[in-house]
Amino acid sequence: MNVRRSAAVLAAVAVWGTAAAPAAFADDASPSPSTALPSGLYGKTDPKFDGVFRQSYALLAQDTVGVKPAGKAVDWLAGQQCASGGFAAYRADASEPCNSKTAVDSNSTAAAVQALAALGGRDKTVEKAVDWLKSVQNTDGGWGYSPGLPTDTNSTGIVVGALAAAGENPAGVKSQDGKSAFDALPKLAMDCGKDGGAFGLADAKTKKLNPDADATAAGVLGSLGKGLVVAPAKKAEDSAPKCAKPDTASQAASNGTGYLLKTLGDHDDHLIAATDMPDVGNTADSVLALAAAGQQEQAEKSAEWLAKNSADWAKKAGPAAYAQLIFAAHAAGMDPRDFGGADLVKQLGATGPAPESASKSPSASDEDKKKDEDGGVSIWWIIGVGAVAGIGIGFLISGNRKKQQL
């Protein structure tokens, strides 16, 4: 996963020559900052490009597994909001008011909405952020990374998630031209021929769409109205969907699902980055999309691959990576506290302030007993459904060429 901003970030680079690069571009070159980081912040690397994003992921992942984050961690995130309602990637001094030079963006704002809506108790903060997102909606119904930038799949997907998390109906949030995200997303889907029905990522120079797995995962989730917290499918689809003209959001999602199934199947259940190395993060994104689309068998296979191959990547990439793996484990019906032998919840918690409280996974015998008491219905299925109902949606920021890092 690349902190799904890069499609828009690259567009910003093309327009302005500079941009707030996502963590995907910063991890190797960004040592810990010389000044002390806020005590409530997750991660030790420079938060300039991804502070709000990685914090939102960490808090949402903890909430998903029944952990109550530290109050100061939640306070820090809420305190990053500008008076307009938008969030920038990071504000070193949140006591200073935002101004015209403060680079608020749709991705940071939408990620914060998803986390704060799930945690509860921040209704006014969430409402202001949603109002800001509505105010920067493009006329085609979608969103770009920054106000004024063209619509891209990843930004639109994460905003759809934020709207749903906040209790809005994304289909009812329309631009001045009467368009919603579900009108915009099919326009970003590619033909069924050589492009296989993928969602596209725009080239920074030519603006031409190119098939992209991470954009496809974001597009599938957004088109289905789903977000980062996806419960395992109750009834798995029997076969891969057939590709057809993407004239609706649901058909675009179906096409994108087929593209992911084929791409993962061609590479032993994982994606390959542009560097010809395994693409761990975007494989995790794909698990969410496939689970949301009912393709549980492949979601589980890819999650099992992640459990065997993600440890080094997550350790290097930090809190957002651990959170992404927690989301993938949750979607695949796996235990994030025993993910290939790793306790992802503990590892995530170690990157920030100690949580206020933490739940524990039941033992196998306890879970079997509970299944018997519930007539065969797993308590974790009930918890998963409840989590999705409370959170809804979203997708973080796009990945382009450094898909191995956050």
Side-chain angles (χ1 to χ4, degrees), residues 303-330:
E304 289 168 358
W305 181 90
L306 288 170
K308 297 175 182 177
N309 296 280
S310 62
D312 290 343
W313 170 79
K315 182 178 180 180
K316 181 179 180 181
Y322 287 122
Q324 187 71 6
L325 293 174
I326 288 172
F327 297 141
H330 180 78

Side-chain angles (χ1 to χ4, degrees), residues 64 226 229-234 330 377-392:
T64 299
K226 300 293 182 180
V229 183
V230 179
K234 281 185 177 180
H330 180 78
V377 179
S378 169
I379 187 64
W380 290 107
W381 172 251
I382 297 172
I383 292 174
V385 171
V388 169
I391 296 174

Side-chain angles (χ1 to χ4, degrees), residues 62-389:
Q62 287 185 324
D63 180 79
T64 299
V65 295
V67 172
K68 184 177 182 180
K72 63 181 179 180
V74 182
D75 290 342
W76 181 89
L77 178 58
Q80 288 285 299
Q81 187 176 44
C82 294
S84 66
F87 285 74
Y90 177 70
R91 296 169 59 208
D93 186 357
S95 67
E96 290 291 326
C98 300
N99 55 39
S100 59
K101 294 183 179 180
T102 305
V104 289
D105 68 84
S106 64
N107 290 241
S108 298
T109 303
V113 166
Q114 291 182 64
L116 295 173
L119 293 166
R122 303 281 177 166
D123 291 350
K124 290 185 178 180
T125 302
V126 170
E127 182 179 356
K128 284 180 63 177
V130 169
D131 287 344
W132 182 85
L133 289 170
K134 291 178 179 179
S135 76
V136 297
Q137 185 177 21
N138 289 335
T139 56
D140 64 4
W143 282 263
Y145 177 66
S146 296
L149 287 182
T151 294
D152 69 82
T153 305
N154 301 85
S155 296
T156 302
I158 192 173
V159 172
V160 167
L163 294 173
E168 297 274 352
N169 175 11
V173 176
K174 296 185 177 182
S175 70
Q176 61 188 23
D177 287 357
K179 303 291 186 181
S180 77
F182 298 136
D183 295 306
L185 286 169
K187 303 297 185 184
L188 297 166
M190 309 194 71
D191 293 334
C192 295
K194 66 176 183 178
D195 298 324
F199 281 85
L201 183 69
D203 182 90
K205 293 183 179 179
T206 67
K207 307 300 188 292
K208 179 182 178 181
L209 289 176
N210 295 304
D212 183 82
D214 190 50
T216 301
V220 169
L221 278 179
S223 296
L224 293 174
K226 300 293 182 180
L228 293 171
V229 183
V230 179
K234 281 185 177 180
K235 181 179 183 299
E237 295 291 337
D238 294 329
S239 60
K242 293 182 179 180
C243 197
K245 183 179 179 180
D247 50 5
T248 65
S250 60
Q251 186 60 56
S254 181
N255 293 354
T257 299
Y259 174 85
L260 291 176
L261 288 170
K262 183 179 186 306
T263 306
L264 290 164
D266 288 345
H267 298 99
D268 297 324
D269 303 321
H270 65 281
L271 299 176
I272 301 295
T275 56
D276 293 327
M277 297 293 289
D279 191 340
V280 181
N282 289 336
T283 299
D285 288 348
S286 297
V287 170
L288 306 186
L290 292 176
Q295 296 290 340
Q296 197 64 24
E297 181 179 356
Q298 183 60 61
E300 292 173 3
K301 288 180 179 179
S302 292
E304 289 168 358
W305 181 90
L306 288 170
K308 297 175 182 177
N309 296 280
S310 62
D312 290 343
W313 170 79
K315 182 178 180 180
K316 181 179 180 181
Y322 287 122
Q324 187 71 6
L325 293 174
I326 288 172
F327 297 141
H330 180 78
M334 298 172 67
D335 185 357
R337 291 179 172 82
D338 186 12
F339 194 68
D343 186 338
L344 299 174
V345 179
K346 182 178 180 180
Q347 290 173 330
L348 171 60
T351 67
E356 290 188 8
S357 64
S359 64
K360 295 183 178 180
S361 297
S363 66
S365 59
D366 289 340
E367 190 167 358
D368 289 341
K369 180 179 179 181
K370 185 60 179 175
K371 285 181 181 179
D372 291 339
E373 293 172 353
D374 292 338
V377 179
S378 169
I379 187 64
W380 290 107
W381 172 251
I382 297 172
I383 292 174
V385 171
V388 169

Side-chain angles (χ1 to χ4, degrees), residues 7-61:
V9 170
L10 290 175
V13 172
V15 174
W16 295 314
T18 59
F25 294 85
D27 281 352
D28 284 340
S30 298
S32 297
S34 56
T35 56
L37 293 176
S39 62
L41 180 65
Y42 278 81
K44 303 302 181 185
T45 57
D46 191 337
K48 181 178 180 180
F49 302 124
D50 74 332
V52 165
F53 190 80
R54 76 194 194 202
Q55 189 82 352
S56 300
Y57 261 49
L59 299 182
L60 182 56

